[in-house]
Amino acid sequence: MSDIAANLLTINDAMYTAVKKTGRTMGDIKLIGVTKTVTPERIVQLLAAGVNCFGENRVQEFLPKHECLQHHMPTWHFIGHLQRNKVKFIIDKVAMIHSIDNMALALEVDKRASMAGIVMDILVEINIAGEDSKHGLDPSQALPFVQELTGLSNIRVKGLMCIAPFVKEPEDNRPYFKKMHKLLLDINQNNTHNHCLTELSMGMSGDYTVAIEEGATMVRIGTALVG
């Protein structure tokens, strides 16, 4: 068994234990393999192990990987900070953008998606801990921003994303994940456009089980998967 296959087995076991506590099933959770700095050869090993959805952080690193691996037909998500002038390079290559946090970026995604003849699934990034080093909206801005986005024809708002603080103890992030889940519920309850958000992208290698217990539908795992 390869190291990746062994790592994936451990992760799946931990995910199953966490999911069972919530009354959901493994089918309700998407594992996104974070492939920042991971070589195409290593990604092929991930595909062979059964991982087929990958998250990239940097456009300039993602593009050659996409070109090299397109015949393998993986699903790509863009999970990093995205500059407006880079949207045109990825708009037809990713299934979802996780990091929309301002209207100028949203308008550019909408425009480029329209030009490509697609509707782009997006997540709204929330700076849930108010960290100066992180991108994302203040939680109080989330509802009006989502309501404004619903007026764009080529964007489909699917949910919320956060990057929790880097902590030694996973439990330290439980309050932030709880707050994200409550925010999603509040938006759905108060959204006058009747647009239901279903996705919560939160939890990484150090805290994904806690995130799942608190409602995550997508976990972004890199180090625990590929080393």
Side-chain angles (χ1 to χ4, degrees):
M1 182 183 294
S2 71
D3 63 324
I4 283 178
N7 291 343
L8 182 60
L9 185 63
T10 300
I11 290 166
N12 280 335
D13 284 347
M15 287 177 61
Y16 177 75
T17 299
V19 166
K20 200 162 59 169
K21 294 179 181 179
T22 71
R24 295 181 292 164
T25 69
M26 287 289 280
D28 297 320
I29 313 295
K30 182 181 290 294
L31 189 158
I32 300 172
V34 178
T35 47
K36 175 184 174 182
T37 74
V38 178
T39 65
E41 293 77 17
R42 195 79 163 145
I43 296 174
V44 170
Q45 293 178 35
L46 286 165
L47 285 161
V51 181
N52 62 5
C53 184
F54 303 108
E56 281 286 328
N57 295 67
R58 297 171 180 164
V59 173
Q60 62 270 30
E61 183 183 341
F62 163 61
L63 293 176
K65 291 180 187 177
H66 178 272
E67 177 70 20
C68 180
L69 296 167
Q70 56 183 325
H71 63 286
H72 289 280
M73 299 183 67
T75 299
W76 298 100
H77 287 210
F78 194 82
I79 62 176
H81 177 63
L82 182 60
Q83 296 174 308
R84 277 181 288 163
N85 63 353
K86 300 290 180 64
V87 173
K88 60 187 176 184
F89 298 116
I90 69 165
I91 196 66
D92 59 345
K93 298 177 178 66
V94 299
M96 179 178 282
I97 299 172
H98 288 226
S99 48
I100 302 298
D101 64 356
N102 66 82
M103 186 51 63
L105 176 59
L107 288 169
E108 182 67 16
V109 171
D110 183 67
K111 181 181 80 171
R112 295 293 178 176
S114 177
M115 292 170 66
I118 62 174
V119 176
M120 176 56 65
D121 287 342
I122 68 160
L123 303 178
V124 172
E125 183 173 1
I126 305 298
N127 188 347
I128 195 63
E131 296 177 278
D132 292 338
S133 60
K134 301 277 178 67
H135 296 282
L137 295 170
D138 183 87
S140 65
Q141 300 173 307
L143 175 59
F145 186 62
V146 168
Q147 290 176 328
E148 195 171 0
L149 290 178
T150 57
L152 302 179
S153 301
N154 291 85
I155 277 180
R156 183 164 43 227
V157 187
K158 299 293 288 184
L160 307 176
M161 182 271 261
C162 79
I163 302 174
F166 293 101
V167 294
K168 289 184 178 180
E169 296 298 329
E171 282 294 329
D172 291 345
N173 277 336
R174 190 179 292 276
Y176 299 117
F177 296 143
K178 280 182 179 289
K179 189 174 180 181
M180 283 291 294
H181 189 222
K182 184 178 185 303
L183 183 61
L184 186 82
L185 296 176
D186 288 346
I187 289 173
N188 283 336
Q189 183 176 2
N190 293 290
N191 192 346
T192 56
H193 293 273
N194 296 318
H195 185 81
C196 184
L197 308 187
T198 58
E199 305 294 345
L200 266 181
S201 172
M202 60 186 191
M204 299 191 291
S205 288
D207 55 19
Y208 64 92
T209 57
V210 176
I212 290 171
E213 289 171 8
E214 296 302 333
T217 64
M218 299 178 176
V219 290
R220 311 180 305 271
I221 302 178
T223 303
L225 188 58
V226 296

